[in-house]
Amino acid sequence: TLAFGDAVVGGGDAGGSGGAGGSGGEGMEDDLEQSYVRLVDDQTFEVMGSFALEPFENGSSVIATRFDGDDNEYFVVGTAYCQPMEMEPQRGRILTFVVRNRQLVLVAEKEVKGAVY
């Protein structure tokens, strides 16, 4: 099973009050939300593999597919770069993954105009 996930990656101050899991206003402007594509075991929900997306990039769609003449199953992920001042995303990516040894392997990527829904 493929899933999207986020985590806060902290700049924050040296004391850690604005870092990941921190509270308070100090340093919060330096915190970044990091998005991931994660491969999750469908029985135990254990995260088996993870792929970090770029800053401001979020997963927006996913499909599992096979290609003619190839026995592998591929996961094709659509993304969007969500900039704070944009009404609609101006660019995104199409990422194609295959699972090898219970890990996500990126086999192709293509940057496109607009979000990939």
Side-chain angles (χ1 to χ4, degrees), residues 17-108:
S17 66
S23 61
E26 294 180 56
M28 287 297 280
E29 65 277 356
D30 294 335
D31 289 345
L32 260 214
E33 187 174 291
Q34 175 69 58
S35 294
Y36 296 88
V37 176
R38 298 191 194 270
L39 180 66
V40 180
D41 184 284
D42 64 349
Q43 299 296 310
T44 66
F45 298 106
E46 171 191 0
V47 175
M48 299 183 307
S50 189
F51 179 86
L53 298 176
E54 294 179 356
F56 300 103
E57 185 179 25
N58 295 302
S60 54
S61 60
V62 64
I63 188 170
T65 190
R66 295 184 188 275
F67 298 109
D68 288 337
D70 188 341
D71 291 336
N72 292 310
E73 182 174 39
Y74 292 88
F75 293 100
V76 181
V77 175
T79 73
Y81 289 88
C82 299
Q83 300 294 335
M85 302 309 277
E86 292 178 349
M87 294 292 286
E88 283 290 321
Q90 299 299 304
R91 66 187 182 115
R93 288 195 297 170
I94 300 170
L95 306 172
T96 305
F97 297 93
V98 68
V99 177
R100 291 194 184 119
N101 299 322
R102 296 174 54 100
Q103 294 293 315
L104 283 173
V105 177
L106 181 66
V107 294

